[in-house]
Amino acid sequence: MALLNLGIVAHVDAGKTSLTERLLYEAGAVSEPGSVDAGTTRTDSMDLERRRGITIRAAVTSITIGDLSINLLDTPGHPDFIAEVERSLAVLDAAVLVVSSVEGVQPQTVAIWRALRRIGVPTVFFFNKVDRGGADVDRVTAQVRHRLGARPVLLGTVTGQGRREARVHPVDLDAEPVVAEVAEVDDAVAARWLTDRPVRVRDVRRALRRAVRRAELVPAVCGSAITGAGVRQLCDVLADLLPYGEARDGPPAGTVFAVDRDGHGRRVWLRLWSGRLRVRDRVRLGDGRPEPVTEIAVIEPEGVLVRRSVSAGQIAAVRGLPARIGQHIGDPPRRHAYRFPPPTRQAVVEPVDPAQRLAMFAGLAELADEDPLVDLRLDEQQAEAVIRLHGEVQKEVLAALMEDRYGVRVRFSGTLTACIERVAGTGSAEERVRERGNPYLAGLGLRIEAAPAGHGIEFRPGIEPGRLPPAFVAATEEGVRAALRQGRHGWPVTDCTVTMTASRYWPRQSRPHQKFDKSISTVAADFRNLAPVVVASALRQAGTRVCQPIERFDVDLPRHTVETVLALLGRLGAVVHDTAVAGGYLEVSGTLPSARVPRVVAALPDLTGGEAVLTTTFDHYAPVTGEEPPRLPRRGPDPDDREAWFRAVPR
């Protein structure tokens, strides 16, 4: 049986979860479609998703349509969870992009469409809600052409549009409008059509399948996920026009796209591209050591069922692998590699009940393990958790998850724009054993140098390997990385190289007739605790610059609002890079500091009558100029106070 891994994607509230439920019903997987409003959907399995009526985590279910087996991935629609969508797209064979025929193309529609094209996922449009007042399929089709730059081929017509009894009628593949679109991209069809010779359905179908695979044309079906109108036509298009997944022979190769926990522990979700993976197989993740597979559960129409193996093309939940999202098993196809954007907001998380602080730390660590976009930093000395996020909704979801799953109520400090610090020059520092109040049985010298943007933190042992025990080198690196989490202005320091330039230690020894004595022997903790003191001194000499996140924006504006919106963007420090006219709208692209994006989002509806479509993505970090660099309240001793460091760091 052919297998298709299919994603359902859309702007929030466009109806993708309702469409997933209707597809389950049409395939006979459920006796009646679930309701988002009633909280009875099969794919929204989290209590929080059912209460809020939104999809937070991608969910997988399976159906069978004729001779085609389909794994359905229902993905989030809210902009705060766009990364959840993108990492799911990387394992798909095809996608259905749901567009409301009432609201039309919305900001998240644009963001998802660009991701689909970037990754190269064949797509079908489903113009939903034709039974709702204000529905206009012709208007939405025009928007898709002009705002997305797509070439939709409408394969259905609507009667009774805007009313509950709206019905959808399929359009034959040899109908004039369909043949005209296909002729634009296929010479053989064009030759027959232009010479008034009959165009055969099989030729149009074959040409349309090729055009869909190459993203030259996009089939479009209209209907209603609530009433079921048009859904049967959508099923026919899925089986008839979309390219199925290709199962390759060879060694197992797969991609991890999700991590979660159930009542039995941690599991990773992966798409297997080639080969067969069996229980007790040992697989290598990246450059790590081989790890054993202890359990495999495969997505099937009956549910997630434990099996002895999973074959190429299938999606499975696997236990035993310490994999992270985005990691690969073996050598999967070289598709678009999703690069997680850094969070642009941060907040301090505190338990409402101070006695639950350790439980809060443990719960946040698990959630950060499941979602790589939750950038968690635990400061055990200050008993604080600092978390970096992508939006306010994500913060609300985390709070609800902490209470639902772990019974811990948490509160967040005021959200700040998450800046970083970059090293400005070069700085060196050294602490000698038992000199100038050094309480540790360790001596350490470090040099910190600026590195190119995007380099990250590189630690070099320098000349120390061979003269310093490996455990002490590892402890020094651990201490260095911990110290760089908070720079001169309180922000994390990145894009630098740290090199060990000197070290001293006291060999393991003891007094006569006694066991090992730490007071006269160096241990790894001495280097781990001394490293932050040396890092602080080296940073003081090198200096740091605070850099703020800059986002790339693309906004489609009605012509009569251009001057007003451009004036707003100018006042907020935006740099316009390009403009273009498309379909009666002016497309403006440029960059803008992340801290000012919310003001643009809040102002656009009033300035443009709700017609503007704005999308933003992280672009780069840039030094803060023309104002005092923002500072975070210090968590720990002043880096300029050497004695305070020695008093604060444990001995």
Side-chain angles (χ1 to χ4, degrees):
M1 180 178 288
L3 176 63
L4 177 67
N5 291 298
L6 181 73
I8 310 294
V9 293
H11 184 98
V12 64
D13 289 335
K16 59 184 171 34
T17 299
S18 297
L19 178 60
T20 302
E21 291 295 319
R22 179 58 65 169
L23 287 170
L24 291 172
Y25 175 73
E26 291 287 340
V30 295
S31 58
E32 61 179 350
S35 168
V36 173
D37 294 335
T40 58
T41 56
R42 179 170 169 178
T43 53
D44 284 343
S45 58
M46 297 168 57
D47 290 340
L48 179 60
E49 292 177 308
R50 290 171 172 167
R51 289 201 307 269
R52 291 182 62 101
I54 62 172
T55 301
I56 297 169
R57 296 282 173 86
V60 189
T61 189
S62 182
I63 62 174
T64 300
I65 298 176
D67 295 329
L68 177 64
S69 177
I70 300 178
N71 288 330
L72 286 174
L73 275 76
D74 181 25
T75 60
H78 195 281
D80 283 8
F81 304 102
I82 181 61
E84 182 83 12
V85 177
E86 287 223 20
R87 63 200 187 209
S88 299
L89 296 184
V91 301
L92 297 179
D93 300 315
V96 176
L97 177 52
V98 183
V99 182
S100 169
S101 58
V102 178
E103 289 83 6
V105 173
Q106 296 169 280
Q108 189 75 344
T109 314
V110 179
I112 294 171
W113 173 253
R114 288 171 179 165
L116 289 166
R117 296 281 64 77
R118 185 169 62 250
I119 299 172
V121 181
T123 306
V124 172
F125 288 118
F126 184 72
F127 299 150
N128 193 25
K129 302 183 182 180
V130 297
D131 59 320
R132 290 263 307 274
D136 189 337
V137 170
D138 290 339
R139 172 175 55 85
V140 174
T141 303
Q143 286 183 350
V144 164
R145 289 183 182 277
H146 298 315
R147 295 195 180 187
L148 302 185
R151 298 186 61 177
V153 180
L154 196 59
L155 299 177
T157 60
V158 188
T159 57
Q161 186 171 207
R163 300 195 301 271
R164 183 74 177 182
E165 60 272 15
R167 294 292 178 266
V168 176
H169 310 280
V171 172
D172 294 332
L173 291 184
D174 58 356
E176 183 80 7
V178 176
V179 174
E181 290 286 352
V182 174
E184 291 286 337
V185 299
D186 188 274
D187 291 341
V189 172
R192 296 186 69 89
W193 183 57
L194 293 174
T195 56
D196 293 329
R197 287 182 292 168
V199 179
R200 293 171 296 190
V201 169
R202 67 172 182 269
D203 293 335
V204 177
R205 178 182 292 108
R206 187 182 304 114
L208 189 51
R209 285 179 62 90
R210 287 196 298 265
V212 170
R213 184 183 288 275
R214 296 194 300 260
E216 295 172 336
L217 297 175
V218 186
V221 179
C222 48
S224 167
I226 296 298
T227 67
V231 176
R232 176 47 56 184
Q233 286 84 359
L234 175 62
C235 292
D236 293 339
V237 169
L238 297 179
D240 203 28
L241 298 179
L242 290 185
Y244 304 153
E246 296 180 2
R248 300 186 302 164
D249 296 328
T255 300
V256 176
F257 67 93
V259 174
D260 68 3
R261 286 172 172 80
D262 60 7
H264 303 287
R266 186 179 190 269
R267 58 186 182 178
V268 299
W269 292 82
L270 60 83
R271 156 76 185 267
L272 198 67
W273 299 98
S274 66
R276 179 177 290 273
L277 187 64
R278 299 174 177 84
V279 174
R280 296 182 183 173
D281 280 354
R282 299 181 69 87
V283 297
R284 190 183 302 275
L285 297 163
D287 298 328
R289 65 183 183 183
E291 301 285 351
V293 174
T294 59
E295 182 183 278
I296 294 174
V298 179
I299 297 295
E300 297 182 7
E302 295 78 17
V304 184
L305 303 180
V306 175
R307 295 287 185 249
R308 297 297 302 169
S309 65
V310 56
S311 58
Q314 291 182 302
I315 289 176
V318 177
R319 299 190 197 275
L321 301 182
R324 300 278 293 169
I325 291 172
Q327 283 189 302
H328 302 295
I329 294 171
D331 186 23
R334 298 303 178 190
R335 301 183 77 178
H336 166 78
Y338 179 63
R339 185 169 173 266
F340 297 121
T344 56
R345 296 173 177 82
Q346 79 171 40
V348 174
V349 193
E350 296 178 324
V352 174
D353 179 0
Q356 292 186 305
R357 191 170 296 275
L358 291 179
M360 180 194 76
F361 281 5
L364 288 174
E366 278 197 2
L367 293 178
D369 174 57
E370 294 176 11
D371 187 350
L373 293 181
V374 177
D375 186 357
L376 175 66
R377 302 175 186 198
L378 299 178
D379 187 335
E380 296 182 2
Q381 292 180 15
Q382 302 300 316
E384 279 188 346
V386 178
I387 199 159
R388 292 190 162 203
L389 303 166
H390 288 258
E392 291 297 315
V393 171
Q394 195 180 10
K395 190 164 67 174
E396 295 172 22
V397 167
L398 277 174
L401 284 173
M402 286 297 298
E403 185 171 1
D404 290 353
R405 190 185 295 186
Y406 307 104
V408 179
R409 295 180 59 204
V410 299
R411 56 173 173 253
F412 295 83
S413 68
T415 304
L416 303 173
T417 299
C419 298
I420 62 169
E421 294 183 43
R422 286 197 173 116
V423 177
T426 300
S428 299
E430 183 177 353
E431 291 289 341
R432 300 176 183 272
V433 182
R434 295 302 196 192
E435 291 186 15
R436 299 175 59 228
N438 178 4
Y440 302 109
L441 298 184
L444 180 63
L446 296 172
R447 182 176 66 251
I448 296 180
E449 302 168 281
H455 185 84
I457 298 171
E458 180 183 3
F459 177 80
R460 296 176 179 172
I463 62 172
E464 301 310 314
R467 61 175 292 182
L468 190 66
F472 294 172
V473 175
T476 301
E477 180 176 2
E478 185 180 341
V480 165
R481 291 186 181 276
L484 292 176
R485 291 175 190 150
Q486 189 177 50
R488 306 277 304 156
H489 300 274
W491 304 101
V493 179
T494 188
D495 298 334
C496 63
T497 300
V498 182
T499 306
M500 290 180 67
T501 57
S503 66
R504 296 289 186 275
Y505 72 100
W506 289 10
R508 184 181 181 90
Q509 55 189 312
S510 61
R511 292 184 172 84
H513 311 296
Q514 295 184 4
K515 294 182 179 180
F516 167 73
D517 190 343
K518 180 185 179 303
S519 67
I520 58 174
S521 304
T522 300
V523 294
D526 290 315
F527 281 95
R528 185 182 302 110
N529 294 331
L530 181 60
V533 182
V534 183
V535 167
S537 297
L539 280 180
R540 182 169 61 250
Q541 186 180 113
T544 63
R545 290 191 295 264
V546 177
C547 297
Q548 62 182 332
I550 305 295
E551 297 195 34
R552 175 182 175 83
F553 69 86
D554 294 277
V555 59
D556 296 348
L557 301 172
R559 295 287 189 87
H560 65 279
T561 68
V562 170
E563 290 187 7
T564 305
V565 175
L566 290 181
L568 170 68
L569 293 172
R571 290 195 301 272
L572 295 178
V575 177
V576 175
H577 295 159
D578 192 21
T579 60
V581 177
Y585 287 81
L586 182 70
E587 298 177 350
V588 181
S589 62
T591 53
L592 179 70
S594 294
R596 295 166 188 169
V597 169
R599 293 168 63 181
V600 176
V601 172
L604 275 182
D606 288 338
L607 295 179
T608 65
E611 291 189 65
V613 175
L614 172 71
T615 59
T616 62
T617 55
F618 171 82
D619 193 74
H620 66 282
Y621 286 101
V624 176
T625 58
E627 56 188 80
E628 180 69 19
R631 288 179 176 268
L632 277 181
R634 289 215 63 82
R635 300 187 303 278
D638 187 332
D640 294 331
D641 189 341
R642 178 173 172 277
E643 286 70 25
W645 269 103
F646 284 142
R647 291 194 300 271
V649 179
R651 304 184 185 183

